[in-house]
């Protein structure tokens, strides 16, 4: 295609749905799916199960739980300082590349509280506590080092340690299917038996940045540098983009932004039918972009950051959903056609059955807000 080809919103929508496995459920193992998606945002521990159910055929929740207990998938702070489900390999390969961003994001919240704190000394103190191999909650770890920083509250100390200074994982039973458990942490290296890869020295090729770029485009492209930055929290990876630009194809969106993509990645016909899909809270199909207009209207953009679970109708956010006593309750953002309503009910019944282990198939459609 010509570098000047313009992709309209519908074309970008269908590309996103294809990359995100939302046009047609995939026949993929769970581990491969987590890898393809570049991780799943997972600060709400049960939400990734719905995200995988919406993307995979014959998804078995225990398969994800087994990957967590088998240490092939981990829960860790990474992209944007949020908790993600990642393959063990990706966590080890990517964590150090995010170190600076993670520190800055925690400091952005607690800068006043952490003023004057020697972060290297704090990291050393935290590592010494965790060296015994015992899992600890964030508050337990903060209390264990508090004597060294008596003027700093436990929350700033704890978040800086587990989300930034020490690569950690939230260990099971946190994140297992139908399990409620607080977050308890162990160092990534001791949990997986390997140290994370080191970040490249200044001036060296950014192999991790290149890998992140390629993986992002495979799961989210075509996309702008600002979209890449919004997904990972890193500063656009300009060196990585420059290193592989000749291998990529270029488009424009309707705003004139340059969009980069892998040459052989799927870009379906904009008229490709899109089935109804139920997405969990904070799904990266919505959050993985700076410009989210390809999937959600500007008027409803706030839903994507408040934890609302959303329903895609014709590929776009058209409703929210919750569960009430086993019933999936759908609240449209605008009136649904008869055909769309029937499709929402059918998919909602399947979701209710999945969430209830086939005990319920109840769906209720609420009235759209006035």
């Amino acid at each position: 295609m010509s570098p000047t080809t313009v992709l309209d919103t519908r074309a970008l929508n269908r590309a996103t749905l294809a990359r995100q496995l939302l046009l047609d459920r995939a026949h993929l193992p769970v581990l491969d799916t987590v890898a393809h998606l570049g991780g799943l945002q997972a600060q709400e521990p049960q939400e990734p199960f719905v995200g995988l159910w919406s993307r995979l055929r014959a998804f078995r929740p225990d398969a994800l739980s087994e990957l967590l207990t088998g240490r092939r998938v981990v829960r860790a702070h990474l992209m944007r300082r949020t908790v993600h489900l990642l393959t063990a390999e990706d966590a080890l390969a990517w964590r150090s590349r995010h170190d600076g961003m993670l520190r800055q994001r925690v400091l952005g919240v607690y800068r006043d509280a952490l003023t004057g704190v020697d972060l290297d000394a704090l990291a050393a103190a935290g590592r010494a506590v965790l060296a015994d191999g015992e899992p600890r909650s964030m508050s337990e770890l903060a209390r264990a080092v508090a004597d060294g920083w008596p003027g700093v509250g436990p929350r700033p100390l704890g978040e800086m340690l587990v989300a930034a200074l020490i690569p950690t994982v939230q260990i099971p039973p946190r994140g297992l299917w139908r399990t409620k458990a607080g977050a308890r942490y162990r160092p990534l290296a001791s949990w997986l038996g390997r140290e994370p890869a080191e970040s490249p020295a200044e001036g060296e090729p950014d192999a991790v940045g290149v890998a992140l770029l390629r993986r992002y485009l495979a799961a989210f492209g075509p996309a702008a540098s600002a979209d890449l930055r919004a997904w990972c929290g890193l500063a656009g990876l300009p060196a990585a983009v420059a290193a592989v630009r000749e291998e990529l194809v270029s488009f424009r969106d309707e705003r004139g932004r340059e969009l980069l993509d892998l040459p052989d990645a799927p870009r379906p016909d904009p008229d490709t039918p899109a089935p109804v899909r139920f997405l969990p809270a904070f799904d990266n199909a919505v959050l993985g972009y700076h410009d989210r207009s390809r999937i959600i209207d500007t008027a409803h953009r706030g839903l994507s950051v408040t934890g609302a679970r959303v329903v895609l109708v014709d590929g776009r956010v058209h409703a929210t959903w919750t569960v009430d006593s086993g019933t999936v309750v759908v609240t449209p953002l605008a009136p649904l056609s008869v055909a769309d309503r029937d499709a929402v009910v059918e998919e909602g019944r399947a979701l209710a059955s999945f969430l209830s282990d086939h005990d319920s198939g109840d769906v209720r459609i609420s009235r759209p807000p006035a």
Side-chain angles (χ1 to χ4, degrees):
M1 289 188 178
S2 164
T4 59
T5 298
V6 174
L7 299 178
D8 64 17
T9 299
R10 191 173 175 88
L12 293 175
N13 174 268
R14 292 314 194 252
T16 291
L17 297 180
R19 313 291 174 91
Q20 287 288 309
L21 313 180
L22 294 168
L23 269 186
D24 188 22
R25 284 183 166 93
H27 290 286
L28 282 176
V30 174
L31 184 67
D32 293 351
T33 304
V34 174
H36 167 74
L37 296 171
L40 288 85
Q41 192 155 330
Q43 63 263 50
E44 297 294 337
Q46 295 298 299
E47 298 299 304
F49 291 94
V50 173
L52 290 168
W53 174 83
S54 287
R55 290 170 164 92
L56 296 178
R57 300 190 182 200
F59 170 61
R60 186 171 57 86
D62 285 348
L64 177 57
S65 293
E66 290 163 5
L67 289 171
L68 284 161
T69 56
R71 308 190 189 194
R72 301 185 71 193
V73 166
V74 297
R75 294 174 48 84
H77 289 89
L78 199 67
M79 285 77 82
R80 307 185 301 278
R81 196 177 67 90
T82 53
V83 177
H84 276 69
L85 277 181
L86 300 149
T87 68
E89 298 301 325
D90 285 345
L92 289 165
W94 295 352
R95 177 51 170 82
S96 296
R97 186 63 178 79
H98 289 73
D99 282 354
M101 178 274 291
L102 293 169
R103 286 192 182 203
Q104 289 306 311
R105 293 231 170 177
V106 178
L107 285 174
V109 178
Y110 299 112
R111 190 172 300 277
D112 290 344
L114 293 169
T115 297
V117 172
D118 184 330
L119 296 183
D120 290 339
L122 177 60
R127 289 180 187 277
V129 172
L130 292 171
D132 62 6
E134 291 297 315
R136 288 174 173 81
S137 68
M138 185 173 70
S139 60
E140 288 171 342
L141 180 57
R143 288 196 297 270
V145 302
D147 287 349
W149 294 271
V152 183
R155 186 78 186 189
L157 289 176
E159 283 209 33
M160 180 56 82
L161 284 168
V162 303
L165 296 181
I166 304 173
T168 60
V169 295
Q170 296 181 355
I171 66 169
R174 180 78 164 176
L176 302 184
W177 178 238
R178 292 182 178 161
T179 300
K180 292 185 177 180
R184 298 178 69 78
Y185 295 86
R186 280 188 56 184
L188 175 66
S190 67
W191 182 248
L192 296 181
R194 287 177 287 167
E195 292 289 338
E198 295 184 4
S199 290
E202 187 173 350
E204 290 184 354
D206 185 7
V208 175
V210 168
L212 284 167
L213 170 61
R214 288 190 175 123
R215 295 280 293 281
Y216 175 73
L217 292 177
F220 294 88
S225 293
D227 297 318
L228 171 64
R229 182 168 60 249
W231 169 68
C232 64
L234 303 175
L237 302 175
V241 172
V244 297
R245 177 176 283 277
E246 295 303 314
E247 303 172 21
L248 305 177
V249 291
S250 176
F251 305 95
R252 296 282 172 182
D253 65 13
E254 293 176 300
R255 295 167 48 193
R257 298 189 313 161
E258 183 185 37
L259 307 176
L260 299 175
D261 204 6
L262 303 173
D264 298 326
R267 289 179 288 275
D269 187 305
D271 292 328
T272 302
V276 168
R277 289 290 184 257
F278 283 70
L279 298 186
F282 307 113
D283 194 279
N284 273 353
V286 182
L287 288 185
Y289 300 95
H290 177 261
D291 181 359
R292 299 171 188 163
S293 63
R294 68 178 68 192
I295 199 166
I296 187 169
D297 294 344
T298 301
H300 305 308
R301 181 184 171 98
L303 295 173
S304 63
V305 294
T306 58
R309 297 157 161 174
V310 299
V311 184
L312 302 184
V313 178
D314 193 26
R316 299 188 62 79
V317 174
H318 205 95
T320 61
W321 67 276
T322 59
V323 178
D324 182 11
S325 301
T327 297
V328 171
V329 181
V330 177
T331 303
L333 301 171
L336 294 166
S337 70
V338 173
D340 287 341
R341 183 185 179 92
D342 290 346
V344 168
V345 168
E346 181 180 3
E347 186 73 357
R349 284 175 176 158
L351 175 61
S353 178
F354 167 73
L355 293 173
S356 66
D357 196 21
H358 311 297
D359 286 340
S360 171
D362 296 336
V363 179
R364 184 171 74 248
I365 308 291
S366 300
R367 288 185 177 184

